[in-house]
Amino acid sequence: MDSVRTPAGETAEPSDPPAPGSLGRKVRSAARWSLINTVVMRLGNFATGVLLARFALGPAQWGVYGIAQTVLLVLLSANELGVSLAIVRWDGDPRRFAPTVLTLATASSGLLYAALFVSAPTVAGLLDSPDASDVLRVMCLCLVIDGVAQVPAGFLTREFAQGRRMLVDALNFVLSTGVTLVLAFAGFGAMSFALGAVAGNIAALVGCALAAPGTLRFGWDPQQARALLEFGLPLAGASLLALAVVNVDTMVVGSTLGQVSLGFYVLAFNMSGWPVRVISEAARRVSFAGFSRLAGSPQALARGFSRALGVLVTGTVPLCVLLGGLAAPVVHLVYGSKWLPAADALPWLMALGLVRIGCELAYDCLVATGQRRSLILTQGLWVVALIPVLLVGADLHGIVGVSQGHVLVAAGLVVPAFLYALGRAGIGLVPIARACSWPFFGGAVMTLVVLAAKRFLGDGTLALFGIGALALACYVLCVLPSRRFLLGSRAPETV
């Protein structure tokens, strides 16, 4: 495991892990607030998406938004050069090097936005979405705002202050959603998303500054800057590759199948991300900080990772099975009949969502333990293998083929690569298998129940709720033997 670089540039071994009780209380409290925050925000985003898809925007406009969102997310993965993670990861008082972090993050974000502003028409043309040029220029203003906000947000993460973070996110949501809805119903189309995102990010920046006072101070120390770049650039590269993995499909669909197909695919992909965002996002706000505190003890790290994986998979499997097995009736009920083509891709994307949750947790663990080379190699392998497979899938089976290609590469190539990297960090196959065994068994039973019940009950609205309730009851019975492990009492029994 790589040693931790301190702000002054000297090398120091990670400090001894804190007392398990103290860290455990902080993590549990932060996780509760983070889960509440994520569930509330995602339910609000879901309701907003339903209103927009049913009454304001069509598939083509959704496709333009998908292109702009994809470009923004890819750029956000590396806009601050990875240096903001030092706020969470480095030992010592982060206020000593935070001004240098803020200067680096703001400068790099500003330069990246300037390059995007100039190249926006070319980028939109390459993605076969020339209408997206102006939307790109407006939405990507969030790059600069995000760069400034990274330091105060990093302090909130380091301190496990997810209660304050919830208030910041609520402010962001209320403003961004209000602006987006007003403009969308006024006929602004995809531009309503861009203006809403900018308004919400400005609100989040103000909120972070108030929640972590005194952290928005610019400064410069050449020695600190050198150490920060040595620490951050490999992580930024890995993060960029990670975002490319989940966004290259949008580029492939947009450039080969057109905006309408892209609109259907973006809707299906967003639906598949519901469990990822609600459960995995809540966990990731505390997992990196938690794994960082345990990095000095391989045994504690293995136990912490195994339990976190078990909790995530147990909570995610039933959502993935229900949305995948009942894709068509769910899409019809929520979004209306005009969006039914999106249901064809949803079962495959739900399988991908489950794989992504495990890979994202492994990513955070490997970052915390300093396995940067393994991360870059794994993410690079993922992207290189994914591009040709998605192109072939799009040519053969449209958005369904793209979804199938995603699952093929992720399950057949990337999961083994992550398992190997985790093994090098001291986390073997046995604790991972034990954490996943009961949820996977329950998921298999749920799948059989859903398929059998659909044949007898059909896919009407009442049948949809009845099948869901029956399948969930069967799942709960299947995972009951692992309850002590999930609560931290002991290792789970194997199937």
Side-chain angles (χ1 to χ4, degrees), residues 64 67 120-136 254 259:
V64 172
I67 288 292
T122 302
V123 172
L126 290 173
L127 297 175
D128 198 28
S129 298
D131 297 340
S133 177
D134 290 337
V135 178
L136 272 173
Q259 288 185 9

Side-chain angles (χ1 to χ4, degrees), residues 359-382:
C359 291
E360 288 176 358
L361 189 71
Y363 179 97
D364 289 344
C365 184
L366 294 174
V367 171
T369 57
Q371 302 291 322
R372 290 173 286 180
R373 182 177 301 176
S374 296
L375 275 176
I376 292 175
L377 290 175
T378 301
Q379 299 292 348
L381 176 67
W382 199 344

Side-chain angles (χ1 to χ4, degrees), residues 4-9 80-102 104-105 150-159 224-233 235-236 288-289 292-293 367-368 372:
V4 180
R5 298 291 295 182
T6 64
E80 39 73 62
L81 305 178
V83 297
S84 65
L85 288 176
I87 299 292
V88 181
R89 181 69 178 93
W90 276 1
D91 294 328
D93 182 6
R95 292 181 182 272
R96 291 189 293 117
F97 55 89
T100 303
V101 172
L102 181 60
L104 281 170
Q150 284 297 313
V151 168
F155 275 89
L156 296 179
T157 300
R158 182 185 179 98
E159 297 166 5
Q224 289 178 355
R226 190 180 306 111
L228 285 165
L229 291 173
E230 289 175 1
F231 168 83
L233 285 175
L235 297 179
F288 177 67
S292 296
R293 306 293 175 87
V367 171
R372 290 173 286 180

